[in-house]
Amino acid sequence: MQIYKVGGAVRDRLLGKPVTDIDWVVVGATTEEMLAKGYRPVGADFPVFLHPKSGEEYALARTERKSGRGYGGFTFHASPEVTLEEDLIRRDLTINAMAEDDQQNLTDPYHGQRDLEERILRHVSPAFAEDPLRVLRVARFAARYAELGFKVAPETLELMRQLSESGELEALTAERSWKEISRALMEDQPQVFIQVLRDCGALKVLMPEVDALFGVPQPEAHHPEIDSGIHTLSVLEQSALHKQPLTVRWACLLHDLGKGLTPEEEWPRHIAHEHKGLKLIKAVNERFKAPKDCQELALLVGQYHTHGHRALELKASTLLELLQSFDVYRRPQRFEEFIVACEMDARGRKGLEQRSYPQADYLRGAANVARGVAVQPLLEKGFKGPELGEALKRERLKALKAYKESAAS
């Protein structure tokens, strides 16, 4: 029995990056031997075991063969005869197909170290094209390592293109897709993930609503970058630069989908794109079964982001309606995430990345004013039920009018 550290742990050590998860592969062992040593089985489809002390995953060396569609369409064969090289060749990228023994001696049959040095994301073998999930994984790695100068090899991008055109991407489950998408959006350069998906034709399969934004012009006065797709990438980039959570990044990606529905004769204006985009945002949310908080914020940002930009001009009554829509009294964090998503939208424009956004503090102040209206005096006056709600609304409107006047003076 020989045990090797494999995959990301080896890659990240060679890159000088912190190693978090460690995967191990065991060559020359049987399931019975692993059980006898106290390892606990966890793999339903292939033999993976948890170490009796560390709890880390140890997998028996295995080969795989395509047997159906999608990510799960494989049959696996594990036996003591499977070599380390046979196990490594089934992996996605050369930089993930290296192994180390306990002396840090490197096994690198597919030249992963060379590709690390040359900053190339290259597939290990033609079997890469058998697994559609790898399209998303490679795009995610491109986003993760973009800051180091990594690029997808042309021949790998071509295989990704073939996969995108094959219909295999449609076989991915919502859960698997969302896992990759959400992880990619939390990388330092998530816009690279979207760009790579577009470069290989996967974006128009997975998110045609986002793909449709590219080539759609906007008014140059407000959008020096002009192209709606480029703007979306820039907004996503800003959300990562400002370390925003997944909810905000997802909303930033989807906020302008309505612009893809604007008839060409109306370009570059996009009248009511906020409302038109809601059905598209809903469709993308449902397609990937995004978490509820991501779904809600994406819809609210899509509908109200222009309200955010015009916050200083809004009537007090419109401002109150906006605050009510977000339920700022019970969900203050959601409104804060809306504010920062609007700010990312304002900064995701060519040459305007450093602009100030006074609307943010104005909206925060308005929310504090509305929340500050006390209920107790109204109860003491005898208001209850629906009447209490209306009285509270009147008092909040009065407070917002005073706030608006003081802000203008």
Side-chain angles (χ1 to χ4, degrees):
M1 182 192 295
Q2 293 171 293
I3 297 175
Y4 297 90
K5 190 181 293 182
V6 293
V10 180
R11 175 198 68 224
D12 287 343
R13 186 186 73 77
L14 291 172
L15 280 173
K17 286 187 162 286
V19 174
T20 49
D21 296 327
I22 300 178
D23 291 320
W24 304 89
V25 69
V26 184
V27 178
T30 63
T31 296
E32 292 73 24
E33 286 176 276
M34 298 296 284
L35 295 174
K37 289 180 180 291
Y39 287 81
R40 301 191 307 280
V42 289
D45 302 318
F46 45 81
V48 177
F49 304 84
L50 297 182
H51 191 280
K53 291 181 181 174
S54 71
E56 292 176 331
E57 286 193 359
Y58 286 67
L60 293 188
R62 62 186 188 267
T63 59
E64 62 186 32
R65 183 172 54 83
K66 185 77 168 168
S67 60
R69 287 190 69 189
Y71 166 76
F74 293 90
T75 53
F76 298 92
H77 170 66
S79 80
E81 286 73 44
V82 176
T83 66
L84 180 60
E85 288 75 12
E86 286 173 325
D87 182 272
L88 293 175
I89 200 170
R90 67 181 177 77
R91 297 173 186 270
D92 50 7
L93 297 171
T94 59
I95 64 169
N96 295 331
M98 297 180 283
E100 283 180 348
D101 63 17
D102 56 5
Q103 302 297 311
Q104 288 193 343
N105 294 313
L106 191 68
T107 300
D108 182 19
Y110 309 110
H111 312 295
Q113 191 170 21
R114 180 195 64 194
D115 285 346
L116 273 185
E117 290 164 0
E118 295 180 2
R119 302 304 198 235
I120 292 173
L121 301 172
R122 192 194 316 273
H123 63 283
V124 178
S125 76
F128 174 93
E130 294 177 350
D131 184 355
L133 191 68
R134 288 177 169 177
V135 172
L136 289 164
R137 276 177 57 84
V138 173
R140 174 165 65 82
F141 280 118
R144 176 181 296 180
Y145 296 122
E147 63 174 355
L148 298 178
F150 275 82
K151 298 282 188 260
V152 182
E155 63 270 28
T156 302
L157 199 65
E158 179 55 35
L159 274 184
M160 292 165 69
R161 192 174 291 113
Q162 291 172 21
L163 259 174
S164 300
E165 293 169 358
S166 70
E168 280 273 323
L169 288 175
E170 287 95 325
L172 289 174
T173 64
E175 291 78 10
R176 290 300 309 184
S177 297
W178 177 254
K179 186 176 179 182
E180 289 298 325
I181 290 166
S182 58
R183 289 178 72 185
L185 290 180
M186 292 309 293
E187 298 290 0
D188 287 341
Q189 296 198 37
Q191 76 283 1
V192 173
F193 171 73
I194 300 298
Q195 185 61 59
V196 170
L197 291 183
R198 185 162 186 267
D199 291 343
C200 71
L203 190 62
K204 67 184 175 189
V205 178
L206 296 166
M207 298 185 201
E209 302 86 352
V210 176
D211 192 67
L213 295 173
F214 290 86
V216 174
Q218 306 162 103
E220 190 174 359
H222 301 295
H223 287 277
E225 72 287 346
I226 300 175
D227 189 289
S228 297
I230 300 299
H231 167 61
T232 296
L233 294 183
S234 298
V235 177
L236 192 54
E237 181 179 13
Q238 288 295 314
S239 72
L241 281 171
H242 291 271
K243 309 294 184 189
Q244 298 302 338
L246 178 62
T247 45
V248 172
R249 298 186 193 206
W250 183 242
C252 286
L253 177 62
L254 305 185
H255 79 284
D256 261 352
L257 293 188
K259 290 178 178 176
L261 296 176
T262 305
E264 283 190 37
E265 59 269 18
E266 292 180 19
W267 289 355
R269 299 178 70 210
H270 298 278
I271 299 163
H273 75 276
E274 307 90 343
H275 179 71
K276 291 175 184 173
L278 293 180
K279 62 182 179 183
L280 301 184
I281 296 171
K282 193 173 182 184
V284 179
N285 276 335
E286 290 176 354
R287 184 177 312 135
F288 298 111
K289 296 182 180 173
K292 190 178 178 185
D293 55 349
C294 289
Q295 293 199 27
E296 289 177 352
L297 188 68
L299 285 164
L300 287 164
V301 171
Q303 185 170 359
Y304 293 113
H305 62 276
T306 50
H307 275 53
H309 301 329
R310 295 187 297 106
L312 301 171
E313 306 151 34
L314 296 179
K315 294 187 296 185
S317 57
T318 309
L319 197 51
L320 179 59
E321 285 171 16
L322 179 66
L323 297 173
Q324 305 273 72
S325 299
F326 279 85
D327 191 7
V328 295
Y329 317 107
R330 291 181 300 178
R331 303 279 300 274
Q333 182 58 32
R334 186 167 65 176
F335 191 61
E336 175 59 29
E337 290 181 352
F338 164 74
I339 293 170
V340 294
C342 290
E343 186 170 355
M344 298 307 99
D345 179 23
R347 291 184 172 190
R349 306 174 193 220
K350 188 178 179 182
L352 300 174
E353 295 85 359
Q354 303 301 321
R355 75 193 310 184
S356 61
Y357 196 69
Q359 296 94 321
D361 283 340
Y362 181 79
L363 286 167
R364 289 184 186 109
N368 287 334
V369 163
R371 278 195 292 265
V373 173
V375 181
Q376 191 59 34
L378 299 174
L379 291 169
E380 289 169 2
K381 288 180 181 177
F383 288 107
K384 55 186 176 182
E387 287 183 350
L388 175 63
E390 286 303 311
L392 195 53
K393 196 172 178 181
R394 284 194 300 272
E395 290 301 313
R396 285 169 175 161
L397 183 58
K398 193 189 301 180
L400 285 170
K401 282 178 178 175
Y403 172 73
K404 188 171 174 60
E405 285 171 16
S406 67
S409 60

